[in-house]
Amino acid sequence: MRIEIDNFDNYRKSCREFLEREIVPEHQKWEENGLVERSFWEKLGQSGLLGMSVTPEFGGLGKSDYRFAVILTEELIKSGVTVPGIVAHNDVVASYIFALGNEEQKKRWLPELCSGKRVAAIAMTEPGGGSNTADIKTVATRQGDYYLVNGGKTYITNGINADLIVVAVKTEQGQQGQGISLLAIERDMPGFSRGEPLKKIGWNGSDTAELFFHDCKVPITNLLGRENLGNYYFMSAMPRERLSISTVAVASAEHILQSTLEYVKERTAFNQPIGSFQYNRFMLAQLDTEVKIARVYLDNAVDLFNQGLFSLVDAARIKWWTTELQMKVADRCLQLHGGLGYLRDSIAGKNWLNSRAQTIYGGTSEVLQEIISKSLGL
């Protein structure tokens, strides 16, 4: 059943009902298996939750207002459903193709990404390098009407399920950070293989893998945008990706704080609710204030993004601050849950494990502070 978007309240209600009905009953099994089944993507596609910002002619809903993406993320968090795979598919790859793809590429790929028939991933990180695109070693050599790609990628979200992967490759030995191109590599292309699923400590339902390319033959028609401008495209698209991660951070912090407030009012020690002890009360008061500040910060960032005014530095600031706060809130709330919080399947335990990756992917906190400090002339 396709979700109709007429206003934000109805959309939130429809998302919540859909997730509870179609996704939540199966999700625990997927987390145990370390892989969501294809039905997960197909159901999301049938409901209209994939490629929302893509225009209807290419299978989407044409809802470019980022507040719709925020609502979906918030409901995913509240439902306990895995988030990184959907962010990679929706806010990264579908956005890249919609922004950079030519008419033929959009017609070829976007309808199936929006329907869930194809799963998308983006592959930039390599075994010997992380956030710096200048470190990319995967090479694409032009051979007539195709490229030969050699190299490897690691820690790739949706790496096992992905049918279409936007891969950052070196196409020219230019100055630092230059000569990078984006190739869309498809599942059955000769020379492309993937390793076993990587076992993570959190987001267990989101599959992650290593990808390998050995003389992988990629048609030049799979080049996204222009050759050697990949680094520019990354910089242009990064604010949306980091805003997505920040949205996860704020929604997660709000969710675990609310759950913890309910818990500390019921759990007793020394004949009184543990939330009534002064230390705990003051700590929760501080967390509540900081999380509310984060919500105001996020709402402002979304407004700037919708106006086209959200910069790379803005994205670095909010991603750094909200993900660090998410980790802090998750850790304090786990402590208040005591032994229950240390259980893997508890809300506090899952939240804590999932929070840890947030300061790593999409640019580490250290890299983000480098970006911020440079903007200050330091």
Side-chain angles (χ1 to χ4, degrees):
M1 181 177 176
R2 199 166 180 81
I3 291 175
E4 295 297 328
I5 301 179
D6 52 0
N7 62 63
F8 295 122
D9 290 338
N10 286 344
Y11 176 63
R12 182 182 296 280
K13 182 173 181 290
S14 296
C15 284
R16 184 177 302 158
E17 291 174 349
F18 165 77
L19 292 170
E20 289 296 331
R21 181 180 67 250
E22 301 289 345
I23 305 300
V24 172
E26 304 291 328
H27 196 264
Q28 182 60 35
K29 178 181 67 176
W30 296 337
E31 284 215 320
E32 291 170 358
N33 294 337
L35 183 73
V36 296
E37 295 177 1
R38 300 294 296 203
S39 60
F40 171 80
W41 295 101
E42 292 165 2
K43 288 177 179 179
L44 288 174
Q46 290 166 4
S47 71
L49 295 178
L50 297 180
M52 276 186 297
S53 62
V54 174
T55 54
E57 63 181 310
F58 299 117
L61 296 178
K63 299 296 182 181
S64 58
D65 190 324
Y66 196 75
R67 286 175 292 180
F68 287 108
V70 171
I71 290 171
L72 173 58
T73 297
E74 290 170 348
E75 294 308 313
L76 287 166
I77 293 294
K78 291 175 185 176
S79 300
V81 175
T82 187
V83 177
I86 299 174
V87 168
H89 184 103
N90 267 357
D91 289 329
V92 183
V93 179
S95 297
Y96 268 109
I97 294 173
F98 187 59
L100 303 176
N102 57 41
E103 195 75 6
E104 185 276 330
Q105 290 172 333
K106 291 178 182 179
K107 289 179 179 177
R108 181 158 41 122
W109 294 322
L110 286 176
E112 291 192 338
L113 293 183
C114 291
S115 69
K117 292 180 180 178
R118 283 203 199 207
V119 179
I122 187 162
M124 182 174 72
T125 303
E126 298 186 351
S131 300
N132 187 3
T133 55
D135 294 333
I136 287 176
K137 300 293 191 297
T138 298
V139 175
T141 306
R142 181 76 177 265
Q143 301 274 336
D145 60 355
Y146 62 87
Y147 293 95
L148 278 184
V149 179
N150 285 281
K153 302 290 181 177
T154 193
Y155 314 133
I156 306 306
T157 300
N158 293 339
I160 297 298
N161 266 328
D163 307 292
L164 182 71
I165 306 163
V166 174
V167 182
V169 295
K170 194 83 171 177
T171 45
E172 184 179 275
Q173 296 299 323
Q175 296 179 2
Q176 188 180 38
Q178 296 180 358
I180 303 298
S181 300
L182 304 180
L183 294 180
I185 296 182
E186 300 174 67
R187 173 177 286 276
D188 296 324
M189 286 183 170
F192 167 47
S193 62
R194 54 193 106 201
E196 294 296 314
L198 298 174
K199 296 181 179 179
K200 309 184 299 298
I201 62 173
W203 294 125
N204 293 314
S206 177
D207 58 293
T208 307
E210 292 182 289
L211 309 179
F212 307 103
F213 310 100
H214 180 69
D215 286 338
C216 180
K217 197 170 180 179
V218 183
I220 60 171
T221 53
N222 280 34
L223 173 69
L224 274 178
R226 293 173 57 186
E227 196 175 78
N228 299 323
L229 290 183
N231 205 47
Y232 168 76
Y233 298 143
F234 276 131
M235 295 303 101
S236 299
M238 196 60 75
R240 182 181 182 118
E241 180 180 356
R242 288 175 176 161
L243 183 59
S244 300
I245 297 170
S246 302
T247 303
V248 173
V250 175
S252 297
E254 289 175 336
H255 179 59
I256 189 56
L257 181 59
Q258 182 58 41
S259 177
T260 301
L261 287 171
E262 294 170 5
Y263 179 76
V264 299
K265 293 173 185 177
E266 298 175 355
R267 178 75 163 87
T268 60
F270 303 101
N271 299 316
Q272 65 183 93
I274 61 173
S276 66
F277 289 97
Q278 185 185 63
Y279 178 83
N280 292 343
R281 283 190 288 120
F282 284 11
M283 178 173 63
L284 287 165
Q286 293 167 20
L287 295 180
D288 176 69
T289 302
E290 291 182 67
V291 170
K292 282 181 168 57
I293 292 170
R295 170 54 65 178
V296 174
Y297 194 2
L298 178 64
D299 288 346
N300 179 68
V302 170
D303 185 51
L304 290 174
F305 181 84
N306 280 338
Q307 296 179 60
L309 301 175
F310 189 62
S311 71
L312 187 65
V313 178
D314 291 331
R317 288 192 182 103
I318 193 169
K319 198 271 182 182
W320 166 68
W321 196 81
T322 57
T323 56
E324 291 289 342
L325 175 62
Q326 179 189 359
M327 278 210 312
K328 174 182 174 180
V329 174
D331 188 71
R332 302 294 192 276
C333 288
L334 185 147
Q335 184 71 19
L336 287 168
H337 279 78
L340 175 63
Y342 199 63
L343 299 181
R344 182 184 294 271
D345 289 333
S346 69
I347 293 176
K350 280 186 177 181
N351 187 280
W352 185 76
L353 289 168
N354 293 342
S355 295
R356 193 60 191 86
Q358 287 276 96
T359 61
I360 298 173
Y361 52 38
T364 65
S365 291
E366 293 75 19
V367 167
L368 298 179
Q369 289 174 85
E370 283 288 338
I371 294 171
I372 297 165
S373 63
K374 286 178 181 177
S375 77
L376 302 175
L378 300 174

